[in-house]
């Protein structure tokens, strides 16, 4: 009998249950799952528009003095 049982291949399973239930296979599956979640999050973050916190704080863009040629003009 070879490494992979022909009956297992006929049922559509590539690996026998002893390999799938082993500890290293569980560790590999956890690594693949975390890697998939990380890259999915990065792809979604890349698709969203950038958020600048200074856009939500209008105090930072306000001048203390007018720069207009008319000194009594409104401060921008």
């Amino acid at each position: 009998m070879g490494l992979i049982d022909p009956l297992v291949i006929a049922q559509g399973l590539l690996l026998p249950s002893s390999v799938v239930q082993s500890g290293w296979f569980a560790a590999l599956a956890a690594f693949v799952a975390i890697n998939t979640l990380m890259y999915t999050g990065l792809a979604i973050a890349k698709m969203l528009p950038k958020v600048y916190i200074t856009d939500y704080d209008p105090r930072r863009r306000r001048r203390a003095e007018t720069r207009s040629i008319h000194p009594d003009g409104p401060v921008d």
Side-chain angles (χ1 to χ4, degrees):
M1 186 159 109
L3 182 63
I4 300 174
D5 189 12
L7 181 61
V8 171
I9 294 173
Q11 292 176 347
L13 301 173
L14 183 61
L15 299 173
S17 63
S18 62
V19 173
V20 173
Q21 294 175 352
S22 64
W24 66 268
F25 193 84
L28 179 65
F31 173 76
V32 170
I34 291 170
N35 197 20
T36 301
L37 288 176
M38 185 175 68
Y39 276 96
T40 302
L42 288 173
I44 290 171
K46 192 76 173 180
M47 289 188 298
L48 295 176
K50 284 189 172 182
V51 175
Y52 298 101
I53 295 178
T54 56
D55 291 346
Y56 299 105
D57 187 14
R59 293 175 293 170
R60 298 193 72 159
R61 291 184 283 165
R62 178 169 250 167
R63 294 189 175 108
E65 298 178 0
T66 180
R67 296 180 69 188
S68 173
I69 60 172
H70 305 291
D72 295 334
V75 177
D76 291 332

